[in-house]
């Protein structure tokens, strides 16, 4: 039976975070394509305007550029998404502070400030969280973008084995028979592709 082949030539098999640190232009393009929509979605939950969200996205990626050396994908429990969330959260909080009215004395001013602040806290309850907000739609969209980015970098046979087992949910033995692989080769294809996906998301080395 055929064996699984993995295309890992060049630096494309390295983590997105590592490639960003090495100054790869392609990695920066992939970063914006991959995480730009997610950062925008996070900022939108704060009730920010489209213009303000564009500023947030630019500020976040500028901060990534300046601080990418501080992120260690090999650190236990570290995720690029979590690191990016904390950067985004700080940028959004700074933006919201700029929008706050100047404080004035008196109970009337306090009431106005309370009225102003309430919609923001209601629109973005995750503001104080240290971990990224959990949203299945956001996660699914992120994974789809990452899969599109790595598909052309993986051998067709390996990709097919991964897609049939993980995405379509077919049994390993059925996929092995269909593709002329051993069940062990199908499991290896699944494992290698999932690892490659995590690297594309910025995790692992």
């Amino acid at each position: 039976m055929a064996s699984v082949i993995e295309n890992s030539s060049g630096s494309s098999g390295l983590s997105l975070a590592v490639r960003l640190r090495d100054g790869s232009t392609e990695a920066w393009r992939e970063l914006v394509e991959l995480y730009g929509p997610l950062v925008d979605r996070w900022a939108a939950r704060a009730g920010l305007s489209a213009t303000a969200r564009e500023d947030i996205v630019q500020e976040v990626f500028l901060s990534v550029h300046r601080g990418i050396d501080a992120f260690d994908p090999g650190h236990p429990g570290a995720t690029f998404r979590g690191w990016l969330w904390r950067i985004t959260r700080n940028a959004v909080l700074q933006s919201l502070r700029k929008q706050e009215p100047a404080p004035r004395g008196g109970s009337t001013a306090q009431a106005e400030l309370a009225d102003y602040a309430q919609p923001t806290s209601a629109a973005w309850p995750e503001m104080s969280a240290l971990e990224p907000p959990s949203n299945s739609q956001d996660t699914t969209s992120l994974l789809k973008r990452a899969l599109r980015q790595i598909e052309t970098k993986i051998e067709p046979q390996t990709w097919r084995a991964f897609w049939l087992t993980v995405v379509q949910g077919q049994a390993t033995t059925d996929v092995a028979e269909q593709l002329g692989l051993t069940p062990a080769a199908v499991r290896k294809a699944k494992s290698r592709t999932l690892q490659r996906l995590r690297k594309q998301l910025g995790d692992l080395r």
Side-chain angles (χ1 to χ4, degrees):
M1 287 192 174
S3 61
V4 171
I5 302 174
E6 182 182 22
N7 182 359
S8 58
S9 61
S11 62
S12 61
L14 296 175
S15 167
L16 177 66
V18 173
R19 292 188 288 124
L20 289 172
R21 191 178 60 205
D22 291 343
S24 167
T25 302
E26 178 67 11
W28 284 104
R29 183 195 64 77
E30 292 176 359
L31 171 72
V32 174
E33 178 184 275
L34 184 60
Y35 282 106
L38 182 60
V39 172
D40 180 78
R41 289 271 294 178
W42 284 339
R45 293 182 185 179
L48 297 178
S49 66
T51 300
R53 296 200 306 272
E54 289 179 3
D55 291 340
I56 290 293
V57 172
Q58 292 180 7
E59 179 61 31
V60 166
F61 290 134
L62 180 59
S63 295
V64 170
H65 178 71
R66 291 170 175 168
I68 188 60
D69 288 342
F71 176 71
D72 180 9
H75 190 276
T79 67
F80 190 83
R81 183 167 174 258
W83 183 64
L84 196 66
W85 158 247
R86 288 187 284 276
I87 294 175
T88 304
R89 175 177 174 270
N90 290 336
V92 169
L93 287 174
Q94 290 178 5
S95 179
L96 292 175
R97 291 190 188 102
K98 292 178 182 179
Q99 296 179 18
E100 290 180 358
R104 293 180 298 168
S107 58
T108 301
Q110 292 177 359
E112 290 177 356
L113 183 59
D115 289 341
Y116 177 88
Q118 183 59 35
T120 298
S121 59
W124 205 34
E126 305 94 343
M127 186 184 299
S128 62
L130 294 178
E131 295 300 320
S134 178
N135 182 289
S136 58
Q137 182 178 353
D138 290 350
T139 301
T140 299
S141 296
L142 176 65
L143 291 176
K144 285 181 177 179
R145 291 192 295 273
L147 287 171
R148 284 197 301 268
Q149 289 182 345
I150 69 173
E151 181 178 3
T152 58
K153 302 173 184 178
I154 296 176
E155 290 295 329
Q157 185 84 322
T158 301
W159 178 262
R160 184 68 174 161
F162 160 79
W163 191 265
L164 292 175
T165 54
V166 176
V167 179
Q168 296 190 4
Q170 296 186 29
T172 298
T173 52
D174 292 341
V175 173
E177 182 177 357
Q178 180 180 341
L179 299 181
L181 299 170
T182 64
V186 172
R187 287 191 291 270
K188 182 180 291 186
K190 174 183 174 181
S191 175
R192 285 181 172 176
T193 306
L194 286 174
Q195 184 181 52
R196 185 61 177 273
L197 176 62
R198 290 187 63 189
K199 288 183 177 182
Q200 189 62 24
L201 292 171
D203 303 332
L204 303 181
R205 290 188 181 277

